[in-house]
Amino acid sequence: MTAAALRALHHGRAADDPLVLPGPWDAESARIFAAAGFPALATPSAGVAASLGYADGSTTPDEMFAAVARIVRAVDVPVTADLEAGYGLPAKELVERIAATGAVGCNIEDGEQGQLTDMARQADRLAEIRAAAGDALVINARTDVFLHGAGGGTDLAAQVEEAVRRGLRYAAAGADCVYPILAPPEVLGELADRIGLPVNALAVPAGPSPRELGTLGASRVTFGGGLHRRAMDSVRATAEALRTG
């Protein structure tokens, strides 16, 4: 499974047929999603963390890379990994550790501890990752503008402008796609048009379906830790039925 294969899946898609990437948290869930026919998978840091007994954002790098490697070994489709902000690793080491897992893509986010990372510094980091990886890695540059607010503000127009500024810088640094997490669905088309890269949308409960997000402008749809939470809701219901039955 190559980065070229994963990269190609982002392009030439019909508006109502975005690339839908379920988020496995372990090897067995990965096998289930792959067997269902999904052409690629995207590990969620939150789901992996929960499966390992950690709070989101608290998984150690060694355990996260080991979990990703187990997922990759379990399936014969490309896997991209949510690696949060990169764990402070130098670009060369980060790329080497991703390659060792067998993953061919990664999410790298520009928010840490509730704050947006300086845009120029984040663009430089993405450029270093691209230089270290060459074409062997699909980089999904996540921006937390809509999560943390643009400059601490809540004005949607200002957030869109900041997301576009960051998306353009990240595209110039070598990102393959941009992930404006929690962007309102109605601005996805504008972001995609102005940034010029495939846009990753987050599917959330009670929100638009993946197909609807595609028609609104998303080329790629992921679920964060949502699928793990749904699975655990089922386990919780089973446990309650066992206890009361």
Side-chain angles (χ1 to χ4, degrees):
M1 297 299 105
T2 65
L6 177 60
R7 190 174 288 112
L9 290 171
H10 292 74
H11 299 280
R13 309 193 69 88
D16 64 349
D17 182 34
L19 176 60
V20 178
L21 299 174
W25 52 92
D26 61 12
E28 183 62 14
S29 59
R31 290 191 188 102
I32 290 169
F33 290 131
F38 290 98
L41 305 174
T43 71
S45 63
V48 172
S51 74
L52 296 174
Y54 290 102
D56 187 18
S58 300
T59 311
T60 65
D62 286 351
E63 291 193 77
M64 182 61 77
F65 287 116
V68 171
R70 289 192 293 271
I71 288 168
V72 172
R73 286 198 302 269
V75 296
D76 59 359
V77 299
V79 174
T80 178
D82 180 354
L83 298 176
E84 302 173 303
Y87 308 111
L89 297 172
K92 185 175 183 294
E93 181 180 353
L94 178 63
V95 168
E96 288 172 348
R97 297 195 70 172
I98 296 170
T101 70
V104 295
C106 67
N107 280 9
I108 297 293
E109 61 197 54
D110 67 0
E112 291 187 88
Q113 300 179 336
Q115 299 292 324
L116 284 170
T117 303
D118 176 78
M119 180 175 63
R121 180 158 59 90
Q122 184 70 2
D124 287 346
R125 177 153 172 75
L126 291 172
E128 291 170 356
I129 294 170
R130 172 55 70 209
D135 291 333
L137 190 66
V138 175
I139 300 174
N140 188 31
R142 180 177 129 176
T143 180
D144 289 2
V145 166
F146 297 96
L147 179 63
H148 299 314
T154 58
D155 179 73
L156 179 57
Q159 291 179 348
V160 168
E161 291 304 314
E162 181 67 9
V164 169
R165 283 199 322 127
R166 286 175 177 262
L168 289 170
R169 286 292 295 272
Y170 301 164
D176 293 284
C177 44
V178 173
Y179 180 15
I181 189 169
L182 295 181
E186 64 270 20
V187 305
L188 292 171
E190 179 181 357
L191 293 173
D193 289 344
R194 294 178 63 186
I195 295 171
L197 287 181
V199 165
N200 187 141
L202 176 69
V204 298
S209 68
R211 186 178 297 274
E212 290 168 334
L213 290 169
T215 61
L216 289 167
S219 296
R220 161 174 165 158
V221 178
T222 54
F223 301 84
L227 300 181
H228 174 265
R229 287 191 293 272
R230 286 168 61 178
M232 292 305 102
D233 285 344
S234 178
V235 172
R236 195 171 294 109
T238 299
E240 184 62 20
L242 290 171
R243 187 187 67 81
T244 58

